[in-house]
Every structure is written in structure tokens, then in C-alpha cells.
């Protein structure tokens, strides 16, 4: 997660918290108070308020904040009046330039600098792990009723579940994404991807039967889908063309995709390879570490303000420097090889990387 102060935060499932700034990693040895930010359930999310307060969420409550070296802890109550505390994962959603959102226990909150603010009950959420993403001043969410637009004032059902995909269970749908032209794309682990317009009308469904993890949009309006079994798929909405890219024939499961500011596409696989697509051609820029056995899933790819491409896998993390094509990738190995990173920058990331 890249905050407004230029720090790149690396979150871990059950390890220490650290960040990268000014060419090195910083942890609790530089900032002792960071030792207090260690959710028992492991890190699951991070978000920043407009005033610079950072909020950290785990797989369970409490939530913790960090402001100018001061740590605070907050545990939600029952949320809606008369409600009961349910077993569910608090979903902390970063909203650039706005107060972050918190979805927990069928309740909706906004995260301010001085603590969470209860907004209202939220029936569009699902029990367990909510599925939602930021869209404008609100959220797009998937639930039993279908695709819903949510604001502080209320919810609007955009497209019912049975319209998105007849005979497809609603739990198979994944996080919806709104593109710059207003179309909302909803991926599914069984039914490809569905496109819904601003009025909630289903425009089309494509790639039926494919397992699509997520959808990303590049600067030219192309959509990039990471799939299980078919590599990364590019959809050109204007030419109605589809392209398929793979790092190698025996590595078809794409687990992370990144569209950079200069138009390059990076994608990572569940075997630990990272490839770059430039001018319509795919080339591998980081290969699987042959010294490790088994899979090395790439969980996250992100670009920082300096143009570095950060990655997190099951066994290592680091960054590539496209501006220095001959430079060796900076790689950090986990101290505890038994720990698997889940993702980075907004979810969970590295276990404990050595500062310096």
C-alpha cells in the first residue's frame, strides 16, 4: 500500500509490520510503536484517511490506527441497534481522497481520523467475507440479491443475481469493477465475466465457463482478466477483440495483473513467474525460483510513485525497476519459509523482510 507520505507498506498474514522508504525497509526497530500493531488474526487490509491516519484491519477485530507515531485500537460493537455480533471478516476499503469504508457485522462505517463512524445497517453485504469495491462516492457490492450500488444514504439494486447469470450461484461472483466509461464488470469463478451498464442492464456475458479472478482496466480502456487455466486475457471493448497471453504453456494460471502508467502490463502466475506485455508481445521478467519446491503463487503486483514494480509471492517479495532494464531485481526472502504471503498493499503481504 502506497501512502501519501511516500511509504510502501508491506503487510503480513501473521508477522511484523514494516514499510519501505528512502531506499530501505523500516520496522519496529525504527518505530517501536509498530510492535503494537499486530492483529492476532494477521493483517488483512490497510486504508488511509485524507488527513493521513492509517488504519489496519485483520481477519477479525480489533482495528488499529497509526497517526504520527501514536497507535489506537478500536473494536466495533454490534453495529445496528439490537444486532448481535456475528462471525465475519471486517472489510476495510481504501477510498482515495475520501474516508475509508468499513463493512462489518451487516453494518457500514466510515473511518475518520478520530475513529470509525457508524453510518447505517447494510443488508447488501453478505455474511462472512463481504465482496465490495470503491466506485465514485460509494461502493459496488455483490450479495444474495445481486449487484448493488451503496452510498451513505442507501442501496440501489443494479442487476439481480438471476440476470447476471441464470442458474449460477451468487457466491461464485467476485469483486465488481467499474471502468472509466461506466460499465461494471463482474468476474465469476464459473461463468466468465458479466458487463452491466450504468442503468443496471446486462450488456453481455463473455468467456462462459472460465474461472476469472479479477478485472483490471489499462489507460487505453482495454480490460485485462486474470484466469485460472487460460493465462491473462485482454478484451478490447472498442474493437471487440480478445487476446490471450501466457508466460509459458505449462504456466496458465494467472493470479495477479497490473497495468502501469506507461501502458505496460505485468502479470504473475501461481508458479512464481512474472511477465510483461509490451507492444503486444509477452516476455518473462522474473522466473520461478528453481531452488524452491512446489508453487510460488504471485499474490500482488503494484507500481509505486517512482515506477518500481512491486511483487509479493509465497516465498519472496521485492521490486523490478523498468527504468533500469539491466538492473537485478531487488528480492527479499522471508525469514520464516513456512509462512505464505497472501497479497500485498491493501490486503495481506510479506511475513518479515529484513530491513536494510
Amino acid at each position: 500500500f502506497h501512502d501519501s507520505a511516500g511509504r510502501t507498506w508491506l503487510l503480513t498474514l501473521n508477522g511484523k509490520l514494516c514499510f519501505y522508504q528512502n531506499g530501505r525497509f523500516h520496522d519496529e526497530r525504527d518505530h517501536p510503536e509498530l510492535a503494537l500493531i499486530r492483529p492476532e488474526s494477521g493483517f488483512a487490509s490497510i486504508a488511509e484517511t485524507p488527513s493521513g491516519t492509517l488504519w489496519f484491519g485483520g481477519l477479525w477485530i480489533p482495528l488499529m490506527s497509526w497517526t504520527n507515531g501514536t497507535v489506537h485500537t478500536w473494536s466495533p460493537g454490534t453495529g445496528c441497534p439490537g444486532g448481535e455480533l456475528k462471525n465475519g471478516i471486517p472489510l476495510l476499503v481504501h477510498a482515495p481522497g475520501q474516508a475509508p469504508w468499513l463493512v462489518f457485522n451487516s453494518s457500514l462505517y466510515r473511518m475518520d481520523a478520530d475513529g470509525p463512524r457508524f453510518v447505517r445497517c447494510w443488508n447488501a453485504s453478505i455474511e462472512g467475507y463481504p465482496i465490495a469495491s470503491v466506485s465514485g462516492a460509494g461502493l459496488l457490492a455483490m450479495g444474495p440479491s445481486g449487484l448493488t450500488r451503496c452510498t451513505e444514504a442507501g442501496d440501489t439494486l443494479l442487476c439481480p443475481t438471476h440476470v447476471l447469470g441464470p442458474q449460477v450461484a451468487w457466491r461464485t461472483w467476485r469483486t465488481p469493477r467499474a471502468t472509466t466509461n461506466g460499465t461494471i464488470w463482474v468476474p465469476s469463478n464459473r461463468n466468465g465475466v458479466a458487463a452491466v451498464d450504468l442503468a443496471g442492464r446486462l450488456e453481455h456475458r463473455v468467456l462462459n465457463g472460465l474461472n476469472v479472478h479479477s478485472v483490471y482496466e489499462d489507460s487505453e480502456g482495454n480490460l485485462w482478466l486474470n484466469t485460472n487455466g487460460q493465462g491473462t486475457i485482454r478484451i478490447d471493448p472498442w474493437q471487440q477483440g480478445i487476446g490471450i497471453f501466457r508466460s509459458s504453456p505449462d504456466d496458465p494460471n494467472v493470479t495477479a495483473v497490473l497495468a502501469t502508467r506507461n501502458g505496460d502490463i505485468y502479470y504473475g502466475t501461481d508458479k512464481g513467474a512474472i511477465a510483461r506485455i509490451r507492444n503486444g508481445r509477452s516476455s518473462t521478467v522474473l522466473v520461478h525460483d528453481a531452488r524452491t519446491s512446489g508453487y510460488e503463487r504471485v499474490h500482488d503486483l503494484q507500481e509505486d510513485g517512482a515506477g518500481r514494480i512491486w511483487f509479493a509471492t509465497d516465498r519472496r517479495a521485492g521490486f523490478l525497476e523498468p527504468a533500469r532494464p539491466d538492473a537485478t531485481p531487488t528480492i527479499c526472502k522471508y525469514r520464516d519459509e513456512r509462512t505464505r504471503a497472501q497479497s500485498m498493499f491493501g490486503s495481506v503481504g510479506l511475513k518479515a523482510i529484513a530491513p536494510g
Side-chain angles (χ1 to χ4, degrees):
F1 179 86
H2 312 299
D3 69 17
S4 59
R7 295 174 291 241
T8 296
W9 291 86
L10 310 177
L11 306 185
T12 71
L13 184 60
N14 54 4
K16 297 180 180 179
L17 179 67
C18 63
F19 63 86
Y20 184 88
Q21 189 179 38
N22 297 328
R24 73 181 187 93
F25 290 99
H26 302 254
D27 65 2
E28 59 196 51
R29 287 174 287 186
D30 305 285
H31 302 274
E33 74 279 1
L34 293 182
L36 302 175
I37 308 176
R38 192 175 299 178
E40 293 182 4
S41 59
F43 289 101
S45 54
I46 179 174
E48 183 179 14
T49 69
S51 64
T53 294
L54 290 166
W55 283 93
F56 301 89
L59 299 176
W60 184 240
I61 55 176
L63 299 172
M64 300 178 181
S65 68
W66 186 66
T67 308
N68 298 323
T70 301
V71 175
H72 292 285
T73 301
W74 175 80
S75 295
T78 56
C80 297
E84 296 180 357
L85 193 62
K86 299 178 182 178
N87 183 21
I89 297 175
L91 177 64
L92 188 60
V93 184
H94 179 67
Q98 309 173 45
W101 296 86
L102 172 67
V103 181
F104 180 70
N105 197 32
S106 299
S107 300
L108 197 62
Y109 302 81
R110 299 304 295 265
M111 309 298 288
D112 298 322
D114 56 351
R117 170 172 53 87
F118 175 76
V119 175
R120 60 183 176 86
C121 298
W122 197 39
N123 296 324
S125 172
I126 65 173
E127 292 185 13
Y129 193 88
I131 303 174
S133 63
V134 170
S135 177
L139 296 172
L140 292 173
M142 281 299 303
S145 298
L147 176 64
T148 304
R149 185 181 300 279
C150 309
T151 65
E152 290 195 19
D155 301 330
T156 302
L157 180 63
L158 295 177
C159 191
T161 303
H162 71 274
V163 175
L164 278 174
Q167 309 302 317
V168 178
W170 67 268
R171 288 185 182 274
T172 68
W173 297 103
R174 292 181 166 133
T175 304
R177 299 290 179 187
T179 57
T180 52
N181 68 355
T183 300
I184 302 167
W185 293 81
V186 189
S188 167
N189 68 0
R190 297 181 186 176
N191 205 40
V193 61
V196 179
D197 67 15
L198 290 172
R201 294 183 293 264
L202 180 69
E203 293 183 341
H204 47 257
R205 285 189 300 270
V206 295
L207 307 176
N208 287 336
L210 290 189
N211 183 344
V212 180
H213 296 289
S214 56
V215 178
Y216 296 86
E217 182 183 23
D218 66 19
S219 59
E220 297 179 354
N222 296 306
L223 302 177
W224 296 87
L225 285 59
N226 55 330
T227 73
N228 188 47
Q230 297 296 326
T232 185
I233 297 177
R234 180 189 63 201
I235 298 178
D236 182 346
W238 316 113
Q239 301 295 327
Q240 297 184 348
I242 293 178
I244 299 177
F245 300 86
R246 299 178 183 175
S247 64
S248 68
D250 62 346
D251 197 5
N253 299 333
V254 174
T255 53
V257 175
L258 167 69
T260 66
R261 291 188 293 272
N262 71 354
D264 289 341
I265 302 296
Y266 287 81
Y267 63 95
T269 73
D270 66 0
K271 290 187 178 180
I274 297 176
R276 180 185 64 202
I277 301 172
R278 178 178 288 176
N279 298 325
R281 300 185 63 181
S282 177
S283 60
T284 300
V285 294
L286 186 70
V287 298
H288 169 66
D289 188 350
R291 294 170 295 180
T292 62
S293 60
Y295 287 90
E296 189 193 358
R297 181 186 178 98
V298 178
H299 289 277
D300 205 0
L301 293 167
Q302 286 209 19
E303 180 183 21
D304 66 15
R308 291 181 290 248
I309 308 302
W310 287 82
F311 60 88
T313 78
D314 284 334
R315 304 178 186 277
R316 54 185 174 165
F319 57 82
L320 308 168
E321 297 182 84
R324 301 172 58 208
D326 297 330
T328 301
T330 299
I331 296 177
C332 305
K333 293 291 186 70
Y334 306 138
R335 289 177 180 155
D336 184 352
E337 289 290 342
R338 295 170 298 175
T339 298
R340 300 169 61 87
Q342 301 299 314
S343 87
M344 186 164 59
F345 317 118
S347 232
V348 273
L350 315 181
K351 174 145 173 37
I353 24 186

